[in-house]
Amino acid sequence: MITLLSGHTLLVFVGIPALVVAVLALLVFASSIAQGPRYRPGLSWWAPPVWINGPSATKPDPASLPQLPAGTTPAAAGTGVARTTGGASASW
C-alpha cells in the first residue's frame, strides 16, 4: 500500500523544523548583523583613532602644580640615578 503525503504532514514534519532552525539562526547572527562590519587583517582601518586615558585636552596651569620639597631636584632621564620603587618589581 502506497501512502501519499498530504500538505499537513509536510507542514508538520518539514515546515515547523525549518522554521525553528531559521529562527535560531536569526537569533545567533542578529548581534553580528546589527554591529556592522569589523576590521579584517590586511585591510585599511576606517575608524577614527581613540586614545583611552590619554592626556587631557587642556594643559594644567603651572601655578596650580604641587611644589617639590626644598632641597630636592627631579631626576633627569639617563643620569644613572638608581630607582628604588616601581618598575618590574611592582613595588610602587
Side-chain angles (χ1 to χ4, degrees):
M1 209 163 37
I2 298 175
T3 60
L4 298 175
L5 296 177
S6 68
H8 293 290
T9 306
L10 284 175
L11 179 67
V12 169
F13 290 110
V14 176
I16 292 175
L19 180 65
V20 169
V21 168
V23 168
L24 288 176
L26 181 65
L27 289 175
V28 168
F29 293 113
S31 64
S32 63
I33 292 170
Q35 288 177 354
R38 63 182 198 178
Y39 173 72
R40 301 284 184 192
L43 298 177
S44 62
W45 185 254
W46 60 87
V50 176
W51 192 352
I52 299 173
N53 205 14
S56 61
T58 59
K59 293 184 179 180
D61 181 22
S64 66
L65 294 176
Q67 296 294 324
L68 289 174
T72 60
T73 59
T79 60
V81 176
R83 293 171 25 171
T84 59
T85 60
S89 65
S91 57
W92 301 97

